[in-house]
Amino acid sequence: MSSPRRRAEGPAVSVAGPTVACMALLDPSPAAIRMVRCPDWASVCAGVDAYLDSFVHDPFVLPTVVVPGAAHRRALSQHLASRPTDPQHKIRAGIDMVTLGQLRRRCEQACLGVDPDDDPWRLPAMTMHIAQLAQAHLDSGEDSATDWFALARHYLQGASGTETDRPGRVIAFADSFASLISGYRRHRPDLLLDWDEHRDVDALGRPLSDQDRWQANLWRELTHSLRPWIHPAAREDRLREALDECAIVIVAGFQGFNRDTRDIT
Protein backbone atom coordinates (compact mmCIF):
# COMPACT_ATOMS: atom_id res chain seq x y z
CA MET A 1 0.00 0.00 0.00
CA SER A 2 1.45 3.34 -0.97
CA SER A 3 1.45 5.94 1.77
CA PRO A 4 3.68 8.72 3.16
CA ARG A 5 5.49 5.92 5.00
CA ARG A 6 6.77 3.73 2.21
CA ARG A 7 5.29 0.25 2.02
CA ALA A 8 6.67 -2.56 -0.06
CA GLU A 9 4.90 -4.23 -2.94
CA GLY A 10 4.05 -7.84 -2.35
CA PRO A 11 1.37 -10.46 -1.87
CA ALA A 12 -1.94 -10.46 -0.11
CA VAL A 13 -2.91 -13.46 2.00
CA SER A 14 -6.39 -14.17 3.35
CA VAL A 15 -7.73 -17.12 5.29
CA ALA A 16 -11.29 -18.37 5.73
CA GLY A 17 -13.26 -21.34 7.00
CA PRO A 18 -13.83 -22.89 10.46
CA THR A 19 -11.40 -25.82 10.10
CA VAL A 20 -9.71 -25.41 6.71
CA ALA A 21 -7.72 -22.30 5.86
CA CYS A 22 -7.34 -20.79 2.41
CA MET A 23 -4.56 -18.38 1.59
CA ALA A 24 -5.24 -16.03 -1.29
CA LEU A 25 -1.91 -14.91 -2.68
CA LEU A 26 -2.17 -11.68 -4.65
CA ASP A 27 0.74 -10.63 -6.83
CA PRO A 28 0.47 -7.00 -7.97
CA SER A 29 2.36 -7.60 -11.23
CA PRO A 30 1.02 -9.41 -13.07
CA ALA A 31 -2.35 -9.15 -11.28
CA ALA A 32 -3.36 -12.66 -10.24
CA ILE A 33 -4.94 -14.42 -7.28
CA ARG A 34 -3.84 -17.93 -6.29
CA MET A 35 -5.84 -19.84 -3.68
CA VAL A 36 -3.93 -22.22 -1.37
CA ARG A 37 -5.86 -24.58 0.93
CA CYS A 38 -4.23 -25.19 4.31
CA PRO A 39 -5.45 -28.03 6.58
CA ASP A 40 -4.56 -26.30 9.85
CA TRP A 41 -3.09 -23.22 11.54
CA ALA A 42 0.45 -24.58 11.34
CA SER A 43 0.12 -24.81 7.56
CA VAL A 44 -1.05 -21.21 7.40
CA CYS A 45 1.99 -20.09 9.41
CA ALA A 46 4.27 -22.16 7.19
CA GLY A 47 2.69 -20.62 4.11
CA VAL A 48 3.22 -17.09 5.42
CA ASP A 49 6.83 -18.02 6.28
CA ALA A 50 7.46 -19.36 2.80
CA TYR A 51 5.97 -16.31 1.16
CA LEU A 52 8.03 -13.98 3.33
CA ASP A 53 11.14 -15.96 2.41
CA SER A 54 10.39 -15.46 -1.26
CA PHE A 55 9.67 -11.78 -0.77
CA VAL A 56 12.79 -9.62 -0.97
CA HIS A 57 12.15 -6.06 0.12
CA ASP A 58 13.84 -2.86 1.17
CA PRO A 59 14.80 -3.17 4.88
CA PHE A 60 13.43 0.31 5.43
CA VAL A 61 10.01 -0.68 4.08
CA LEU A 62 7.54 -2.15 6.57
CA PRO A 63 5.65 -5.26 5.33
CA THR A 64 1.99 -5.27 6.36
CA VAL A 65 0.02 -8.27 7.66
CA VAL A 66 -3.71 -7.69 7.97
CA VAL A 67 -5.61 -9.81 10.50
CA PRO A 68 -9.21 -9.83 11.75
CA GLY A 69 -8.43 -9.03 15.38
CA ALA A 70 -6.05 -8.85 18.31
CA ALA A 71 -6.08 -12.61 19.05
CA HIS A 72 -4.99 -13.47 15.53
CA ARG A 73 -2.35 -10.74 15.59
CA ARG A 74 -0.94 -12.10 18.84
CA ALA A 75 -0.91 -15.72 17.64
CA LEU A 76 0.77 -14.90 14.35
CA SER A 77 3.21 -12.50 16.01
CA GLN A 78 4.31 -15.20 18.44
CA HIS A 79 4.92 -17.57 15.57
CA LEU A 80 6.81 -15.06 13.43
CA ALA A 81 8.97 -13.93 16.36
CA SER A 82 9.82 -17.45 17.57
CA ARG A 83 13.17 -19.10 16.98
CA PRO A 84 12.56 -22.70 15.80
CA THR A 85 15.21 -25.36 16.33
CA ASP A 86 15.82 -25.48 12.58
CA PRO A 87 18.73 -23.06 12.00
CA GLN A 88 17.43 -22.33 8.51
CA HIS A 89 14.45 -20.50 9.96
CA LYS A 90 14.69 -16.81 10.74
CA ILE A 91 13.19 -14.59 13.40
CA ARG A 92 10.49 -12.40 11.86
CA ALA A 93 10.35 -8.82 13.06
CA GLY A 94 9.50 -5.39 11.74
CA ILE A 95 6.12 -6.48 10.37
CA ASP A 96 3.16 -4.15 10.69
CA MET A 97 -0.02 -5.99 11.73
CA VAL A 98 -3.36 -4.23 11.30
CA THR A 99 -7.02 -5.17 11.05
CA LEU A 100 -9.03 -4.89 7.84
CA GLY A 101 -10.71 -1.76 9.19
CA GLN A 102 -7.36 -0.15 9.92
CA LEU A 103 -6.12 -1.13 6.47
CA ARG A 104 -9.15 0.47 4.86
CA ARG A 105 -8.61 3.70 6.79
CA ARG A 106 -4.96 3.72 5.73
CA CYS A 107 -5.95 3.19 2.11
CA GLU A 108 -8.51 6.00 2.30
CA GLN A 109 -5.91 8.32 3.79
CA ALA A 110 -3.17 7.38 1.32
CA CYS A 111 -5.31 7.20 -1.82
CA LEU A 112 -8.23 9.56 -1.14
CA GLY A 113 -6.70 11.98 1.37
CA VAL A 114 -9.29 11.12 4.07
CA ASP A 115 -7.75 11.68 7.51
CA PRO A 116 -9.44 9.19 9.88
CA ASP A 117 -8.94 11.54 12.85
CA ASP A 118 -10.99 14.27 11.14
CA ASP A 119 -13.45 12.10 9.20
CA PRO A 120 -16.99 13.21 10.16
CA TRP A 121 -18.39 9.96 8.74
CA ARG A 122 -16.95 7.86 11.53
CA LEU A 123 -19.75 6.60 13.75
CA PRO A 124 -19.40 8.90 16.83
CA ALA A 125 -19.02 12.06 14.74
CA MET A 126 -21.82 11.05 12.35
CA THR A 127 -24.13 10.46 15.34
CA MET A 128 -23.61 14.02 16.57
CA HIS A 129 -24.25 15.49 13.11
CA ILE A 130 -27.50 13.52 12.82
CA ALA A 131 -28.54 14.70 16.30
CA GLN A 132 -27.98 18.32 15.22
CA LEU A 133 -30.15 17.84 12.12
CA ALA A 134 -32.91 16.15 14.13
CA GLN A 135 -32.84 18.90 16.73
CA ALA A 136 -33.08 21.55 14.00
CA HIS A 137 -36.24 19.88 12.69
CA LEU A 138 -37.71 19.77 16.18
CA ASP A 139 -36.93 23.44 16.71
CA SER A 140 -38.51 24.41 13.38
CA GLY A 141 -41.88 23.09 14.60
CA GLU A 142 -43.05 22.34 11.06
CA ASP A 143 -45.95 19.89 11.01
CA SER A 144 -47.87 19.61 7.75
CA ALA A 145 -48.85 17.06 5.14
CA THR A 146 -45.61 17.80 3.27
CA ASP A 147 -43.41 17.51 6.36
CA TRP A 148 -41.33 14.38 5.65
CA PHE A 149 -39.88 14.49 9.18
CA ALA A 150 -43.33 14.32 10.81
CA LEU A 151 -43.10 10.62 11.74
CA ALA A 152 -39.66 11.00 13.29
CA ARG A 153 -40.80 14.16 15.06
CA HIS A 154 -43.77 12.31 16.56
CA TYR A 155 -41.38 9.67 17.90
CA LEU A 156 -38.89 12.18 19.26
CA GLN A 157 -41.49 14.36 21.00
CA GLY A 158 -43.15 11.44 22.78
CA ALA A 159 -46.67 11.25 24.11
CA SER A 160 -46.73 14.81 25.42
CA GLY A 161 -45.89 16.30 22.04
CA THR A 162 -42.74 17.97 23.37
CA GLU A 163 -39.17 16.70 23.43
CA THR A 164 -39.00 17.32 27.19
CA ASP A 165 -40.97 14.10 27.64
CA ARG A 166 -37.93 12.06 26.53
CA PRO A 167 -34.85 14.34 26.55
CA GLY A 168 -32.45 11.54 25.58
CA ARG A 169 -34.41 10.46 22.54
CA VAL A 170 -32.59 12.74 20.09
CA ILE A 171 -29.20 11.18 20.81
CA ALA A 172 -30.70 7.67 20.88
CA PHE A 173 -32.44 8.35 17.55
CA ALA A 174 -29.23 9.72 16.03
CA ASP A 175 -27.23 6.74 17.28
CA SER A 176 -29.74 4.27 15.81
CA PHE A 177 -29.84 6.05 12.45
CA ALA A 178 -26.03 6.24 12.31
CA SER A 179 -25.83 2.48 12.95
CA LEU A 180 -28.45 1.90 10.26
CA ILE A 181 -26.45 3.96 7.76
CA SER A 182 -23.28 2.07 8.69
CA GLY A 183 -25.09 -1.20 7.97
CA TYR A 184 -26.27 0.10 4.59
CA ARG A 185 -22.73 1.22 3.81
CA ARG A 186 -21.31 -2.23 4.54
CA HIS A 187 -24.01 -4.35 2.92
CA ARG A 188 -25.91 -2.15 0.45
CA PRO A 189 -23.80 0.87 -0.58
CA ASP A 190 -25.77 0.98 -3.86
CA LEU A 191 -28.89 1.82 -1.83
CA LEU A 192 -27.28 4.98 -0.47
CA LEU A 193 -26.05 5.90 -3.96
CA ASP A 194 -29.65 5.55 -5.19
CA TRP A 195 -30.79 7.89 -2.43
CA ASP A 196 -28.13 10.37 -3.54
CA GLU A 197 -29.88 10.45 -6.94
CA HIS A 198 -33.33 10.86 -5.33
CA ARG A 199 -34.28 7.28 -6.19
CA ASP A 200 -36.01 6.49 -2.90
CA VAL A 201 -36.05 2.70 -2.95
CA ASP A 202 -35.61 0.01 -0.33
CA ALA A 203 -33.05 -2.80 -0.22
CA LEU A 204 -35.11 -4.81 -2.73
CA GLY A 205 -35.38 -1.94 -5.19
CA ARG A 206 -39.02 -1.18 -4.35
CA PRO A 207 -40.23 2.38 -3.67
CA LEU A 208 -39.83 3.33 -0.02
CA SER A 209 -43.00 3.17 2.04
CA ASP A 210 -44.35 6.41 3.46
CA GLN A 211 -43.13 5.48 6.95
CA ASP A 212 -39.56 4.96 5.71
CA ARG A 213 -39.24 7.84 3.28
CA TRP A 214 -37.80 10.10 5.98
CA GLN A 215 -34.63 7.95 5.97
CA ALA A 216 -33.71 8.92 2.40
CA ASN A 217 -34.46 12.61 3.06
CA LEU A 218 -32.45 12.67 6.27
CA TRP A 219 -29.59 10.89 4.48
CA ARG A 220 -29.52 13.60 1.78
CA GLU A 221 -29.57 16.32 4.42
CA LEU A 222 -26.66 14.60 6.17
CA THR A 223 -24.54 14.28 3.01
CA HIS A 224 -25.24 17.91 2.14
CA SER A 225 -24.27 19.13 5.61
CA LEU A 226 -20.99 17.18 5.55
CA ARG A 227 -19.77 18.34 2.16
CA PRO A 228 -17.08 18.34 0.80
CA TRP A 229 -16.32 15.10 2.69
CA ILE A 230 -17.01 12.05 0.50
CA HIS A 231 -19.48 9.75 2.19
CA PRO A 232 -18.38 6.10 2.71
CA ALA A 233 -20.67 4.56 0.07
CA ALA A 234 -19.29 6.88 -2.60
CA ARG A 235 -15.73 6.05 -1.54
CA GLU A 236 -16.01 2.40 -2.63
CA ASP A 237 -15.50 2.89 -6.37
CA ARG A 238 -13.00 5.72 -5.90
CA LEU A 239 -10.98 3.60 -3.50
CA ARG A 240 -10.95 0.60 -5.85
CA GLU A 241 -9.69 2.81 -8.66
CA ALA A 242 -7.07 4.44 -6.46
CA LEU A 243 -5.85 1.09 -5.12
CA ASP A 244 -4.70 0.16 -8.62
CA GLU A 245 -1.81 2.49 -7.89
CA CYS A 246 -1.26 1.23 -4.33
CA ALA A 247 0.43 -2.00 -3.21
CA ILE A 248 -0.71 -4.08 -0.24
CA VAL A 249 2.00 -6.36 1.02
CA ILE A 250 0.43 -9.22 2.94
CA VAL A 251 -3.13 -9.67 4.08
CA ALA A 252 -3.79 -12.57 6.45
CA GLY A 253 -7.32 -13.26 7.58
CA PHE A 254 -8.47 -15.97 9.98
CA GLN A 255 -11.85 -17.21 11.13
CA GLY A 256 -12.80 -19.59 13.91
CA PHE A 257 -11.21 -21.81 16.54
CA ASN A 258 -11.32 -25.62 16.40
CA ARG A 259 -11.82 -26.81 19.99
CA ASP A 260 -10.79 -30.37 19.13
CA THR A 261 -7.43 -29.60 17.50
CA ARG A 262 -7.04 -26.14 19.13
CA ASP A 263 -6.24 -24.74 15.69
CA ILE A 264 -7.00 -21.11 14.83
CA THR A 265 -8.27 -20.91 11.24
Side-chain angles (χ1 to χ4, degrees), residues 11-264:
V13 182
S14 64
V15 181
T19 58
V20 177
C22 293
M23 293 191 302
L25 307 181
L26 173 61
D27 297 306
S29 180
I33 297 178
R34 178 164 52 93
M35 298 299 297
V36 180
R37 292 177 62 86
C38 302
D40 50 34
W41 171 249
S43 299
V44 173
C45 293
V48 173
D49 275 334
Y51 222 69
L52 285 173
D53 282 337
S54 67
F55 178 54
V56 179
H57 62 277
D58 186 332
F60 294 101
V61 175
L62 196 63
T64 300
V65 178
V66 184
V67 296
H72 308 93
R73 176 168 50 228
R74 183 165 53 251
L76 192 57
S77 295
Q78 290 171 348
H79 166 77
L80 294 176
S82 66
R83 186 189 296 273
T85 56
D86 185 349
Q88 298 300 319
H89 287 259
K90 301 184 273 299
I91 294 177
R92 300 290 184 188
I95 298 174
D96 183 27
M97 292 197 183
V98 296
T99 64
L100 285 170
Q102 290 169 331
L103 176 66
R104 180 189 174 89
R105 288 192 287 274
R106 288 185 181 183
C107 289
E108 289 181 348
Q109 184 171 16
C111 302
L112 302 181
V114 177
D115 187 340
D117 292 332
D118 299 328
D119 188 359
W121 286 102
R122 297 192 68 177
L123 199 59
M126 179 168 55
T127 297
M128 296 310 298
H129 284 288
I130 294 170
Q132 291 172 0
L133 293 174
Q135 189 62 54
H137 279 285
L138 288 175
D139 293 341
S140 70
E142 182 179 354
D143 192 2
S144 65
T146 59
D147 179 16
W148 59 263
F149 198 74
L151 186 63
R153 177 182 291 104
H154 179 73
Y155 166 77
L156 291 171
Q157 290 179 336
S160 67
T162 64
E163 59 187 296
T164 56
D165 184 50
R166 297 283 180 86
R169 276 200 171 188
V170 172
I171 292 297
F173 167 83
D175 183 64
S176 296
F177 188 66
S179 297
L180 184 68
I181 291 300
S182 293
Y184 289 156
R185 192 269 301 169
R186 288 192 302 272
H187 304 296
R188 290 302 308 270
D190 55 313
L191 177 67
L192 298 178
L193 296 177
D194 281 337
W195 290 358
D196 283 346
E197 300 299 326
H198 291 265
R199 293 189 291 269
D200 296 350
V201 295
D202 63 16
L204 298 178
R206 301 171 302 194
L208 280 176
S209 63
D210 291 341
Q211 66 180 13
D212 291 329
R213 197 173 300 277
W214 65 269
Q215 294 184 24
N217 285 297
L218 185 56
W219 163 255
R220 284 189 288 269
E221 277 199 358
L222 181 63
T223 59
H224 181 77
S225 69
L226 294 181
R227 290 177 182 170
W229 288 87
I230 306 170
H231 67 70
R235 293 176 192 173
E236 301 291 336
D237 289 338
R238 299 190 192 189
L239 188 57
R240 279 193 290 268
E241 294 171 1
L243 282 174
D244 289 339
E245 303 175 2
C246 300
I248 301 172
V249 180
I250 298 177
V251 179
F254 315 98
Q255 178 181 348
F257 177 73
N258 189 320
R259 295 183 181 275
D260 295 329
T261 64
R262 303 189 65 80
D263 279 330
I264 300 172

